[in-house]
């Protein structure tokens, strides 16, 4: 399980996820995580997500360490996942929707794929559930089962 005091989380968003990013960031910092915010730093409907997301993903990619993770947000989370996944060593899980299905996807992303970036579709998540989704993703350990290690190796 990931320990907050040892974990750095790189965050980024565009205007669509700005308010939600600030909420998640506050929650993570209160929980003892070190958060590095790569923007957006203000609500600007004309901004572009790649500018911010690529900075966060690059830092996670360079670290290639289980204690350095990323959380990126945008309208759907899809473009942000694509932008993040362009970097080596990045494995992104996309989060949108509500309830148990989302939880299953997040657990599989971490437990089976050792996802190190969580991409959240801010327009498609229940704001009352998103903190629990983030916490679940952060606290789900990678199983390190041979079949999952083999598959990750095949992705390199």
């Amino acid at each position: 399980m990931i320990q907050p005091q040892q974990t750095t989380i790189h965050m980024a968003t565009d205007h669509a996820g700005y308010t939600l990013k600030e909420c998640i960031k506050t929650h993570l910092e209160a929980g003892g995580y070190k958060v590095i915010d790569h923007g957006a730093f203000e609500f600007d409907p004309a901004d572009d997500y790649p500018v911010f997301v690529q900075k966060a993903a690059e830092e996670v990619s360079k670290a290639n360490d289980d204690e350095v993770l990323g959380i990126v947000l945008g309208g759907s989370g899809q473009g942000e996942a694509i932008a993040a996944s362009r970097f080596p060593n990045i494995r992104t899980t996309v989060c949108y929707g509500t309830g148990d299905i989302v939880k299953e996807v997040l657990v599989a992303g971490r437990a089976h794929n050792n996802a190190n970036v969580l991409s959240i579709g801010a327009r498609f998540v229940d704001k009352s559930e998103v903190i629990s989704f983030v916490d679940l993703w952060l606290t789900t350990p990678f199983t390190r089962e041979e079949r999952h290690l083999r598959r990750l190796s095949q992705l390199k």
Side-chain angles (χ1 to χ4, degrees):
M1 179 182 303
I2 294 174
Q3 300 301 313
Q5 64 274 18
Q6 300 170 348
T7 305
T8 299
I9 300 174
H10 292 270
M11 294 190 74
T13 189
D14 65 359
H15 59 279
Y18 175 74
T19 302
L20 192 54
K21 177 195 68 139
E22 293 299 311
C23 177
I24 294 168
K25 181 172 122 177
T26 299
H27 170 74
L28 294 173
E29 289 173 337
Y33 291 94
K34 177 182 178 185
V35 177
I36 299 174
D37 188 343
H38 295 275
F41 301 108
E42 63 184 4
F43 181 82
D44 177 0
D47 64 15
D48 296 317
Y49 67 84
V51 173
F52 307 113
V53 170
Q54 289 174 347
K55 291 176 187 175
E58 182 177 25
E59 293 303 316
V60 175
S61 174
K62 285 192 299 189
N64 194 23
D65 179 336
D66 289 341
E67 294 174 353
V68 178
L69 302 171
I71 298 176
V72 298
L73 301 93
S76 71
Q78 299 296 329
E80 294 74 20
I82 292 167
S85 294
R86 295 181 59 90
F87 290 85
N89 307 311
I90 296 296
R91 297 169 304 280
T92 306
T93 292
V94 181
C95 171
Y96 58 90
T98 64
D100 291 339
I101 292 174
V102 175
K103 292 177 184 175
E104 288 181 35
V105 168
L106 294 175
V107 167
R110 287 287 294 154
H112 299 174
N113 300 309
N114 200 20
N116 54 5
V117 174
L118 175 61
S119 183
I120 300 172
R123 293 185 180 130
F124 301 102
V125 294
D126 185 324
K127 307 308 188 254
S128 67
E129 292 182 298
V130 76
I131 294 296
S132 67
F133 293 162
V134 168
D135 288 346
L136 176 63
W137 181 75
L138 286 170
T139 58
T140 299
F142 178 45
T143 65
R144 305 194 81 67
E145 290 178 21
E146 187 278 328
R147 66 187 170 124
H148 300 306
L149 290 167
R150 181 181 70 244
R151 292 168 186 160
L152 289 179
S153 179
Q154 292 170 0
L155 292 173
K156 289 185 177 180

